[in-house]
Amino acid sequence: MINASLGAHYDGSFVWQSMMLWWQTLLGIKHQESADELQQKLSNTFGGKVVLTYKGRDAIELALRGYGLTSNKDVVLTQAFTCFAIEEAIVRAGAKPVYVDLAKDQLNFNVKSLQAAGKKHGKNVKAVIVQHGLGHPAEIDKIREWCNRQGVLVIEDLAQSFGAAGAGKPLGSFGDAVILSFGRDKVIDAVTGGAVIFRTPAKNNQLSFLPPAKGIILKDLAYPFFTWLIRNTYFWLGLGKLIHRLLTIAGLMGNPTQAPTQTITALPGGVAKLALTQLQTLEKNLQHRRKTAKLYLQELQSLPGKIITTEADTQYGTILRFVLTTDDPQALLSFWKKHGIHLTDRWYRSPVDCGNLQCDTSYQSGTAPRAEKMSQTVINLPTHSKINQRQAEKIIAVTKKFFKNKK
């Protein structure tokens, strides 16, 4: 089975570590030293005050509150073609999210898009969240220059791009604040977690919060074992599928878009320990992602679909997914499935994606036509460490066969 994300970042030692932490958490061991070590490492990397949070959206909300952006008159520009969690964080802070359309054939907005939004909302624009979509760096230096002229804060969201570079500098070097997420299928996947790094000092210094309830922590720490069990029994008479379904019904494999907490919550020490483990293998994993992306780029150039990932992206991005578009993504997904390739978790299937949940987004249809078109046509190819060269070559071969059959 070739799968895009389910447990894709967890090897046997990580699963074992998570289960040991499960038992230790059950017994009341908190691992505060791991949280302190993670804070110090992130401070050394990005500079500034680090606050660890239970979710990436908590970190965004905390950043906005820290800078005093808590009024509905405070406009925060963020891109369409994104996850609803971004909007949720902005609204929870009390600010107003305004969506900016993508640049042509890109996964990010550019300065031209920002200028249009800035002209419309004027002095109410207080901050810009730059996402670096799917690990593809945005034109962050030009965005930074525009924000400087407007007196607008830059918040760099590195959930999908931790370790990437842009304009000759590491991403995270341009923002007044840096947002990290350690949630599922992020570059640093510790099941859950996040952080905000205040590179420009916050106005509000009340930045101390409690961790979530023990039951929530235990559920998160069990997730790597559940995904390991599903992956390793998937073809045993459908046992893995059954286990997945039963765990989902029981609420133990919930949608990561839906947070079990609705207020800012601190990162548990046990989860911080998992994030530290993931950081140790970051560079190795990035090299693998870039190598895999270069293979896709080399072999799929002749396809009729538009390839969004560029050569520069494969050199400097994290390439959380390799991205191309086709006029009938569902047909390709079905064709892959017939050949044992399960890549149905497309990012993103709408301009503001809620997964399989219902959400009350403020996005208005027609305001970001490029993001809408991208969400209707996008296909993601996996680059994670469980995709070896043989599997990547199978994805390439099956994809070529699909387009050949369409002629």
Side-chain angles (χ1 to χ4, degrees):
M1 177 184 68
I2 298 175
N3 185 280
S5 62
L6 184 66
H9 308 108
Y10 313 141
D11 59 18
S13 63
F14 186 90
V15 172
W16 177 257
Q17 182 186 34
S18 69
M19 292 312 299
M20 292 301 98
L21 289 167
W22 189 94
W23 282 106
Q24 291 165 8
T25 299
L26 185 66
L27 295 173
I29 301 172
K30 297 184 177 180
H31 293 284
Q32 181 58 43
E33 74 286 351
S34 294
D36 294 341
E37 182 182 352
L38 181 58
Q39 278 185 309
Q40 188 60 55
K41 283 183 178 294
L42 296 177
S43 181
N44 293 342
T45 299
F46 297 104
K49 181 178 177 61
V50 177
V51 183
L52 302 177
T53 59
Y54 171 62
K55 287 284 186 180
R57 74 197 71 185
D58 293 352
I60 295 174
E61 179 185 355
L62 183 56
L64 298 176
R65 290 186 179 278
Y67 291 126
L69 306 185
T70 57
S71 167
N72 190 250
K73 294 181 179 179
D74 296 327
V75 170
V76 179
L77 300 180
T78 187
Q79 73 173 56
F81 195 70
T82 189
C83 176
F84 177 70
I86 308 294
E87 178 176 332
E88 181 185 353
I90 297 170
V91 172
R92 277 177 23 179
K96 180 180 179 179
V98 171
Y99 286 102
V100 181
D101 202 2
L102 303 178
K104 184 179 179 181
D105 295 330
Q106 294 184 36
L107 299 173
N108 303 293
F109 54 64
N110 59 9
V111 170
K112 186 177 181 180
S113 305
L114 281 179
Q115 287 173 336
K119 184 177 181 179
K120 182 177 181 180
H121 295 278
K123 294 183 178 180
N124 287 332
V125 177
K126 303 299 183 183
V128 173
I129 297 177
V130 184
Q131 186 170 305
H132 304 294
L134 300 181
H136 297 62
E139 52 176 45
I140 185 62
D141 53 336
K142 296 177 182 178
I143 292 170
R144 174 78 261 186
E145 290 174 5
W146 182 86
C147 289
N148 285 345
R149 293 196 298 270
Q150 305 300 317
V152 172
L153 291 165
V154 175
I155 299 175
E156 279 195 87
D157 182 354
L158 304 190
Q160 301 174 4
S161 55
F162 190 118
K169 297 169 63 177
L171 296 187
S173 303
F174 301 87
D176 295 285
V178 175
I179 302 298
L180 303 177
S181 173
F182 310 131
R184 301 180 205 172
D185 207 23
K186 301 302 192 298
V187 177
I188 303 296
D189 182 343
V191 184
T192 188
V196 55
I197 300 95
F198 290 97
R199 302 181 71 243
T200 297
K203 298 177 181 179
N204 179 3
N205 292 316
Q206 295 179 350
L207 305 176
S208 179
F209 305 92
L210 295 174
K214 182 184 288 189
I216 294 175
I217 303 172
L218 291 173
K219 178 180 173 181
D220 288 332
L221 291 174
Y223 180 80
F225 172 74
F226 291 151
T227 60
W228 175 87
L229 184 62
I230 292 167
R231 290 182 76 100
N232 283 278
T233 60
Y234 198 82
F235 290 115
W236 288 8
L237 301 177
L239 180 59
K241 295 180 184 179
L242 177 61
I243 293 172
H244 194 180
R245 181 174 297 180
L246 292 175
L247 289 172
T248 301
I249 293 172
L252 297 175
M253 294 284 289
N255 189 314
T257 305
Q258 185 175 29
T261 58
Q262 299 302 315
T263 58
I264 299 173
T265 311
L267 183 70
V271 180
K273 195 173 184 68
L274 291 180
L276 285 169
T277 297
Q278 290 273 299
L279 277 171
Q280 292 173 1
T281 59
L282 173 63
E283 191 55 39
K284 177 182 177 182
N285 288 336
L286 290 183
Q287 289 177 6
H288 176 84
R289 288 184 182 279
R290 289 164 181 161
K291 179 181 178 181
T292 304
K294 287 178 181 178
L295 180 61
Y296 289 143
L297 187 61
Q298 176 183 334
E299 296 295 328
L300 298 176
Q301 286 285 0
S302 61
L303 295 184
K306 174 71 177 180
I307 294 180
I308 304 301
T309 301
T310 67
E311 179 67 31
D313 293 327
T314 67
Q315 292 178 338
Y316 304 111
T318 58
I319 317 298
L320 195 64
R321 303 286 177 88
F322 182 90
V323 181
L324 64 152
T325 61
T326 177
D327 58 359
D328 192 353
Q330 192 56 52
L332 178 53
L333 292 172
S334 298
F335 192 78
W336 276 338
K337 187 175 181 180
K338 292 178 182 178
H339 293 80
I341 301 171
H342 299 259
L343 304 179
T344 56
D345 50 344
R346 291 168 56 221
W347 287 5
Y348 296 98
R349 295 162 295 179
S350 60
V352 182
D353 199 335
C354 304
N356 57 9
L357 303 175
Q358 295 293 323
C359 59
D360 187 19
T361 176
S362 63
Y363 176 78
Q364 297 180 353
S365 179
T367 57
R370 286 174 176 162
E372 290 179 9
K373 183 177 180 181
M374 183 68 73
S375 64
Q376 293 163 4
T377 59
V378 70
I379 283 288
N380 309 143
L381 303 186
T383 61
H384 57 75
S385 59
K386 284 187 169 61
I387 300 297
N388 57 36
Q389 182 168 332
R390 178 181 56 80
Q391 291 176 316
E393 288 172 349
K394 178 178 179 179
I395 292 172
I396 291 166
V398 173
T399 304
K400 286 181 175 180
K401 184 176 180 181
F402 169 79
F403 284 104
K404 183 179 180 180
N405 290 349
K406 285 188 66 175
K407 291 182 179 180

